[in-house]
Amino acid sequence: MSDPHDEALASRLGMWVFIGTELMFFGGLLFAYMMARLAHAPGFAQASRHTDIVIGTANTVILLCSSAAVALAAEVAQRGAHHLARLALWLTLLLGASFMALKGLEYAHDWQQGLFPGVGVQLGQLGQSGIQHEQPLEGAQLFFMLYYVITALHAVHLLIGMGAILWLLAHESSHSIDTHVRRTEITALYWHFVDVVWILLYPLLYLIDRSTP
Amino acid sequence: MTAILRALKDEANAEVRRATAMIGLTLLVLLALVALTCWASYQHLGPARASAGLGIAACKIALVAWFFMQLRHAQALIVVALLIAMATMSLLFGLSATDYAVRSPAKSDYQTPQQIAPFFTKGHR
């Protein structure tokens, strides 16, 4: 019979090593963003001013709340409050679904305003008299290419996290309490990592060039 | 939310209450930092705007890692695994940045893609 402490450490370490590999994955994309932004600063500034700051901020708040909810689930499950832990996991799931719904809405708005890389594209912004277009500077389309790749990959990671939480809730009664508590903790770690990636993306995609003329 | 508060009332012992309060407090600080970074992005900070945005993001990440991801209770082995991952990433960033820094910039053609002439025209059909 293996020691439960060793098992807990092994699963925790396994998830941290996985998070390490994910750091390399998103790190490469963020490096590409950084280099492209240095090479095409005016185009990136112009393009990033067209992203939807209201939805971006709402999604940041939603993800931070979901991280708090899943952290609560992991903490209270360890202390025997299993009903509360289950409710916190459902809340996390609900917040994750809200994030995805808002992201979908944002993509739809972006598409309507022509914020998509392609031939002869013009950047649109919803004003008082409908959508006003402006000619993209060099690099603006590259910004949107990176924006879609990075945010879509982030959304895929979030979907995987939601799937893991659903699985956890569905199989709660088929495992021992110790196993369930450990799995809740590991799933929470993964969810926090997805949140950490968004925390970095939020200023890079929505904020940094907001005040530039 | 009401169900969570009711469950908290039913199941809470001192430890659960302490853990919940700590998570709630961390969340409040995180939300305050979101408000701060949002406000700062509309201020004319010049070249410091990138540092301000990324600096506040780094604070938020530290809070999430320390309090939510339990790094404050992490065993040495986990800290070592994380440090190795970060050191490897820094090395890759450093090598790639050095490559970009010493290479003369080549104009890429992805900004103005060439329109390919339609293959099927009336004459071909």
Side-chain angles (χ1 to χ4, degrees):
Chain A
M1 190 83 178
S2 56
D3 183 359
H5 269 289
D6 287 350
E7 277 188 21
L9 175 61
S11 12
R12 225 171 279 147
L13 180 64
M15 182 47 82
W16 274 107
V17 170
F18 175 70
I19 287 173
T21 64
E22 288 282 82
L23 266 181
M24 310 287 161
F25 177 72
F26 279 102
L29 288 167
L30 292 176
F31 183 81
Y33 172 93
M34 193 173 80
M35 282 299 148
R37 186 168 182 270
L38 285 174
H40 309 284
F44 266 56
Q46 181 202 33
S48 70
R49 281 196 301 275
H50 283 78
T51 52
D52 195 326
I53 193 171
V54 176
I55 294 184
T57 307
N59 266 344
T60 307
V61 170
I62 286 173
L63 263 198
L64 288 174
C65 290
S66 75
S67 234
V70 84
L72 180 72
E75 286 269 0
V76 300
Q78 283 168 3
R79 291 163 173 80
H82 297 292
H83 179 54
L84 179 59
R86 198 179 313 117
L87 287 173
L89 283 178
W90 277 113
L91 179 63
T92 309
L93 213 51
L94 184 73
L95 290 167
S98 313
F99 177 94
M100 292 304 291
L102 276 181
K103 197 74 218 156
L105 190 70
E106 187 183 5
Y107 279 162
H109 285 171
D110 291 344
W111 179 263
Q112 280 165 3
Q113 293 172 30
L115 303 175
F116 202 83
V119 180
V121 75
Q122 288 195 318
L123 302 179
Q125 190 144 40
L126 201 57
Q128 286 177 340
S129 53
I131 296 175
Q132 291 146 359
H133 289 97
E134 61 176 308
Q135 205 61 35
L137 298 173
E138 189 178 301
Q141 295 205 52
L142 182 59
F143 171 89
F144 276 106
M145 199 175 82
L146 284 166
Y147 163 84
Y148 282 109
V149 169
I150 300 175
T151 55
L153 281 170
H154 175 265
V156 168
H157 279 75
L158 195 83
L159 274 179
I160 293 170
M162 287 170 71
I165 291 178
L166 262 181
W167 187 90
L168 206 60
L169 286 164
H171 292 82
E172 188 184 352
S173 52
S174 52
H175 301 293
S176 69
I177 289 177
D178 277 353
T179 308
H180 179 71
V181 167
R182 204 173 61 236
R183 285 182 177 165
T184 306
E185 187 194 343
I186 301 310
T187 310
L189 270 180
Y190 175 80
W191 192 274
H192 295 314
F193 171 73
V194 177
D195 183 27
V196 161
V197 172
W198 184 261
I199 289 174
L200 257 183
L201 293 183
Y202 175 57
L204 290 177
L205 300 177
Y206 295 91
L207 298 181
I208 281 178
D209 293 309
R210 198 53 63 174
S211 64
T212 51
Chain B
M1 216 54 209
T2 326
I4 288 187
L5 290 175
R6 204 180 306 127
L8 190 59
K9 204 175 161 190
D10 294 344
E11 288 185 315
N13 52 41
E15 269 192 61
V16 169
R17 283 214 180 92
R18 202 176 308 125
T20 311
M22 187 269 295
I23 289 168
L25 195 63
T26 310
L27 178 63
L28 281 180
V29 177
L30 284 167
L31 294 179
L33 286 174
V34 172
L36 177 68
T37 192
C38 209
W39 172 81
S41 70
Y42 283 97
Q43 307 307 307
H44 295 283
L45 301 174
R49 64 187 186 276
S51 318
L54 290 175
I56 296 171
C59 292
K60 283 190 275 183
I61 290 171
L63 282 172
V64 170
W66 194 250
F67 291 105
F68 290 173
M69 297 174 96
Q70 304 275 352
L71 262 189
R72 67 192 196 285
H73 299 312
Q75 290 94 334
L77 197 56
I78 288 171
V79 176
V80 169
L82 181 65
L83 288 178
I84 288 174
M86 292 179 77
T88 312
M89 197 173 71
S90 308
L91 183 71
L92 293 176
F93 266 51
L95 289 173
S96 309
T98 310
D99 180 44
Y100 272 95
V102 296
R103 212 183 329 152
S104 56
K107 235 1 214 150
S108 60
D109 54 3
Y110 49 71
Q111 289 302 312
T112 49
Q114 293 295 308
Q115 183 72 52
I116 300 166
F119 185 74
F120 292 108
T121 56
K122 278 183 183 173
H124 283 95
R125 284 184 183 171

